[in-house]
Amino acid sequence: MDPNTLNIIKGAAGAAAGGDPVYVEDVFSTDVYSNAAGAPAPRTVTNGVNFLEEGGLLWVKNRSYQSGGNGRRHVLYSTANSATSSTSTHALSSNTSDDLEDYSSNATLTWKTDGWSVPAGDGDVNGSYFGDYVASSFRKAPGFFDVVTWNGNNGSSKTISHNLGCIPGLIIAKNTSATGYSWAVYAKHGQSGTYNARLLFNSTDARDNSTTTDWSTNSAHFTKDSFTVGSGDLTNMDGESHVAYLFADGADADAQIFGDDGDESIIKCGSYTGDGGNDKVIDLGWEPQYVLLKNTSAGSTNWRVFNNMTGWIAGVSNGADSTSLRPNTNNIESASHKCYITPTGFKFDATEAAVEVNAQASDNDTYIYVAIRRGPMKTPEDATKVFDDVVYNGTGGAHDVPISLSYADFVFYKRRNATDNWGWTSRLQGNLAHLASNGNGAAPGSNAEANRNSADALEYDRQSAFGLVGNSSGEVNYSGESYISYSFKRTPGFFDVVPYNSTNGSTQTVTHNLGVPPELMIFKSRGVTNNWWAYHKDLGASKAIQFDSINMADTSATWLNNTAPTSSVFTLGSGGYANWNTTTYIAYLFASCPGVCSIGSYSGNTGTTIPIDCGFSSPARFVMIKRTNSQAGGNSLTAGQWFVFDSARGINTNANDPLLATNENWVETNNTDYVDQTSNGFSVKAGSVYTNETGGEFIYLAIA
């Protein structure tokens, strides 16, 4: 494509000079919500997707409710089938061959410039007592997605214009005015040269390789501006209305128009051949948040949708299953297949040989997929959108803890008035997995990551909250007790979580998605007993510091192979700190981000309060400080605790600060005054050997 035409397409997407960059979070969102017993309430989802002005598709499914073995149907609203520009009263169901369903009585959808809303009452989309829902928003945008409609003229082929700006990777079409007609699917990949081969979206059938009339037989009829349907009833029935959802393929340069520089993809369509019994890795070049896939070779195989909001965990060997939905059935969520997220795609491990996702290699089964990139892509500017410190009270029963983030990817917490352990857990580890930063076991009293029972889980499938089910041990939700929690969202330039497998001392590089070199990395083995360790940019790659002790920094050229991390990988050497044995590990990565996060160091001066200018426009809400060298006249191995201060519990000026340390299971104390807030960060008070002693060297992490 010539440069002028490419700039026109980028301008339509908002990514060219003169237009704002477009990110995946602008055009796609998966949102979850729940309706328990009680009076129905309207539902408004604010996710930043501009449906009202740009148009698109909203796909809603009840995840958990079923009666008599049957769940609720998939509901697909689109602006192309709207009653007005602002509302939709009719929708389709991907698991039926019905025409448009009338939802005008109790589920009229209202399109908004930043999301959508729907009244309460209908069990398919927002019914009381109907449990958990998931809704995926697809906004029309060149290089990503489009919705088009046409009237059929059976008897001859018809060319349909679209605004995708690139050749479609997948097209899903439906007759909307006549019932009894299936959904027809065209896939650019996995066609084996048969361009009019057909799949049915509401069926478990394999690809129909016989001559069909639903799609053009000529691949040249699928272009960046149009596609051609044949004379078949499913796509071109005489006098009937049809709709198609078009998905771009980011492998096409014409679709690489997103991100800061307008040169990145956010969606990919592709295919792979099953290899059950061996690891099967699909490399996308980025981490996905959503994958739709189908075995096109074998019949009686469901379509599958995986997404990271409802239970899709990291691609390391930890035995957990990933949840998925089946667009061709009304069944509830299933945890029957091990599909894992990786930093650069998705994979099936060697234990997964199910025909629906990864048949044995000898079967030579072909699979097609649509994958959407994880967001956000944009570097944060507002710390309240990516970090929150919240004090909450336990109830001993199920409840949600509200946070300022749209969702949490990582939470660590502590009961304040008891010698309980800290709990560290993340979306990629799963709801039940918890680590304790105040001990060297994978969990206290255990040689493996603590898998709490289902009554003690911290749940990530919440909007603007994390969920607590219940707790008998008191560490996370004991009735009447007070807790402090810190919630983080994975974003470029600020924070990332990276699960990985160790290689028993063999040097390896591990991919991350921070987008900048990490300045603080915290490591913990998940499967075996070993200490927590940390890297800090001001200590350098030749030093490691224990995160679960008061010890000073150790010199070791082997644990990071004496190699500083880069914007895309960190290196692990033969040392035993972060690459020991053959087991699973987790790494938490932080970086300084203007106005959001500051990572640095300072030298102590006993008699002087030291201001730390973090470059913030407001006081620091969270501060972690650790002394890295020995105390004057003290034990040569003793440096100091990893102290944490936060605004939720109070960082008081000239008063006692509530004090905790992540390497200790202390009861919170209020008899110290180590830190004050300032207008651009924080200051460390004079006189403490732990945070400000002459000769002392200190590292810190501060968040606005």
Side-chain angles (χ1 to χ4, degrees):
M1 178 179 294
D2 67 90
N4 290 333
T5 302
L6 181 58
N7 281 335
I8 291 172
I9 292 175
K10 288 185 176 182
D20 293 332
V22 176
Y23 306 92
V24 67
E25 57 265 34
D26 297 322
V27 299
F28 179 79
S29 180
T30 296
D31 301 286
V32 290
Y33 55 96
S34 298
N35 283 336
R43 177 69 53 181
T44 296
V45 171
T46 302
N47 57 19
V49 176
N50 187 348
F51 278 125
L52 183 61
E53 296 174 334
E54 303 292 345
L57 165 72
L58 178 69
W59 183 347
V60 183
K61 178 68 175 77
N62 185 293
R63 300 162 50 201
S64 61
Y65 178 85
Q66 64 180 16
S67 178
N70 294 317
R72 307 296 299 194
R73 68 176 63 198
H74 294 258
V75 180
L76 283 73
Y77 295 95
S78 79
T79 52
N81 303 123
S82 294
T84 69
S85 61
S86 62
T87 63
S88 280
T89 58
H90 290 75
L92 294 165
S93 174
S94 62
N95 58 280
T96 75
S97 59
D98 297 344
D99 59 359
L100 286 166
E101 174 89 5
D102 185 0
Y103 282 92
S104 60
S105 61
N106 56 7
T108 295
L109 185 81
T110 300
W111 306 106
K112 296 179 175 293
T113 57
D114 58 358
W116 53 274
S117 65
V118 69
D122 188 277
D124 286 343
V125 295
N126 192 32
S128 184
Y129 299 92
F130 280 86
D132 301 323
Y133 293 83
V134 59
S136 293
S137 298
F138 301 80
R139 201 203 85 183
K140 294 170 64 174
F144 176 59
F145 179 77
D146 198 13
V147 182
V148 298
T149 59
W150 67 94
N151 292 321
N153 61 342
N154 188 278
S156 61
S157 62
K158 185 168 186 172
T159 298
I160 315 298
S161 298
H162 66 79
N163 294 308
L164 206 55
C166 61
I167 298 172
L170 190 82
I171 304 174
I172 303 173
K174 179 73 175 73
N175 183 323
T176 62
S177 55
T179 193
Y181 293 91
S182 291
W183 294 73
V185 177
Y186 162 82
K188 172 183 172 183
H189 298 277
Q191 295 282 40
S192 302
T194 309
Y195 294 100
N196 65 331
R198 182 184 69 187
L199 285 163
L200 302 178
F201 199 46
N202 57 309
S203 169
T204 61
D205 290 353
R207 180 183 59 229
D208 181 0
N209 285 323
S210 62
T211 300
T212 67
T213 55
D214 293 315
W215 305 106
S216 171
T217 60
N218 190 337
S219 64
H221 291 166
F222 295 86
T223 75
K224 66 182 182 64
D225 301 310
S226 65
F227 63 93
T228 301
V229 295
S231 58
D233 288 342
L234 300 190
T235 59
N236 199 14
M237 187 176 184
D238 191 33
E240 301 293 346
S241 300
H242 300 78
V243 68
Y245 312 129
L246 282 67
F247 300 83
D249 180 9
D252 189 333
D254 295 336
Q256 297 167 13
I257 56 175
F258 297 89
D260 290 338
D261 298 322
D263 58 358
E264 298 181 69
S265 65
I266 63 171
I267 186 171
K268 286 192 177 177
C269 298
S271 63
Y272 63 91
T273 302
D275 194 18
N278 297 295
D279 282 356
K280 183 68 182 181
V281 179
I282 292 84
D283 185 5
L284 305 169
W286 35 251
E287 180 182 324
Q289 61 176 307
Y290 179 100
V291 168
L292 166 70
L293 61 83
K294 174 72 169 75
N295 184 328
T296 65
S297 303
S300 301
T301 58
N302 293 292
W303 292 80
R304 290 275 175 176
V305 171
F306 299 89
N307 74 80
N308 66 352
M309 290 299 294
T310 60
W312 192 17
I313 61 177
V316 297
S317 301
N318 54 12
D321 289 349
S322 304
T323 59
S324 62
L325 288 165
R326 288 156 282 185
N328 55 286
T329 79
N330 63 1
N331 291 342
I332 62 173
E333 201 169 62
S334 166
S336 57
H337 295 300
K338 293 181 176 67
C339 178
Y340 294 124
I341 301 173
T342 74
T344 56
F346 61 100
K347 64 174 266 188
F348 305 96
D349 69 17
T351 66
E352 181 60 75
V355 67
E356 286 199 351
V357 295
N358 190 31
Q360 295 287 346
S362 58
D363 295 334
N364 203 35
D365 282 8
T366 298
Y367 298 80
I368 60 169
Y369 66 84
V370 179
I372 299 175
R373 185 174 186 155
R374 180 182 66 84
M377 293 173 68
K378 186 178 181 181
T379 301
E381 299 174 350
D382 181 352
T384 64
K385 303 299 183 185
V386 295
F387 168 80
D388 202 11
D389 52 331
V390 173
V391 168
Y392 68 89
N393 292 321
T395 65
H399 73 286
D400 289 352
V401 177
I403 57 177
S404 63
L405 289 59
S406 57
Y407 57 84
D409 287 315
F410 163 59
V411 177
F412 71 99
Y413 58 87
K414 170 77 170 72
R415 182 155 62 141
R416 302 169 64 190
N417 64 341
T419 55
D420 281 341
N421 298 297
W422 288 86
W424 289 52
T425 177
S426 72
R427 179 184 300 275
L428 290 180
Q429 292 168 253
N431 290 340
L432 302 180
H434 295 243
L435 292 162
S437 60
N438 52 281
N440 69 352
S446 170
N447 287 330
E449 186 174 61
N451 280 322
R452 300 184 186 275
N453 62 50
S454 59
D456 294 339
L458 187 149
E459 297 186 321
Y460 284 93
D461 56 345
R462 299 288 192 274
Q463 296 293 131
S464 300
F466 60 85
L468 300 174
V469 178
N471 188 268
S472 57
S473 67
E475 289 189 355
V476 65
N477 190 23
Y478 195 78
S479 179
E481 298 293 280
S482 179
Y483 298 81
I484 179 64
S485 67
Y486 307 108
S487 301
F488 295 76
K489 188 172 183 176
R490 295 172 65 205
T491 57
F494 168 56
F495 175 69
D496 197 15
V497 178
V498 183
Y500 64 94
N501 289 320
S502 59
T503 56
N504 202 21
S506 298
T507 300
Q508 65 166 321
T509 57
V510 178
T511 300
H512 66 81
N513 287 311
L514 196 58
V516 296
E519 296 177 358
L520 174 66
M521 300 189 291
I522 300 171
F523 299 87
K524 179 66 182 78
S525 59
R526 301 170 62 190
V528 297
T529 299
N530 201 2
N531 294 105
W532 293 68
W533 290 91
Y535 156 89
H536 190 282
K537 67 181 179 67
D538 293 341
L539 296 175
S542 64
K543 287 192 175 181
I545 190 162
Q546 214 169 316
F547 191 67
D548 55 354
S549 85
I550 61 174
N551 290 353
M552 64 182 181
D554 288 340
T555 298
S556 172
T558 59
W559 86 289
L560 290 180
N561 206 40
N562 207 20
T563 304
T566 73
S567 60
S568 58
V569 301
F570 56 86
T571 302
L572 302 173
S574 58
Y577 303 143
N579 195 26
W580 180 71
N581 208 314
T582 303
T583 187
T584 56
Y585 272 77
I586 192 88
Y588 307 102
L589 280 55
F590 304 83
S592 294
C593 183
V596 174
C597 180
S598 176
I599 297 170
S601 60
Y602 62 91
S603 298
N605 188 341
T606 301
T608 304
T609 293
I610 301 175
I612 307 297
D613 183 355
C614 298
F616 300 160
S617 59
S618 60
R621 289 183 296 142
F622 174 89
V623 179
M624 176 186 287
I625 297 175
K626 163 69 173 166
R627 181 169 180 159
T628 63
N629 66 344
S630 60
Q631 295 171 18
N635 187 323
S636 62
L637 293 178
T638 301
Q641 281 82 7
W642 291 80
F643 294 110
V644 287
F645 310 88
D646 58 82
S647 59
R649 293 178 300 134
I651 303 177
N652 303 308
T653 301
N654 297 320
N656 291 334
D657 298 321
L659 184 67
L660 290 170
T662 59
N663 60 297
E664 304 283 0
N665 66 351
W666 291 340
V667 173
E668 181 181 277
T669 60
N670 292 278
N671 59 356
T672 62
D673 188 18
Y674 292 165
V675 171
D676 284 344
Q677 292 177 313
T678 65
S679 62
N680 56 15
F682 69 99
S683 63
V684 287
K685 304 294 287 293
S688 169
V689 298
Y690 296 108
T691 59
N692 187 14
E693 182 187 44
T694 299
E697 299 297 329
F698 302 86
I699 57 176
Y700 71 85
L701 163 69
I703 303 175

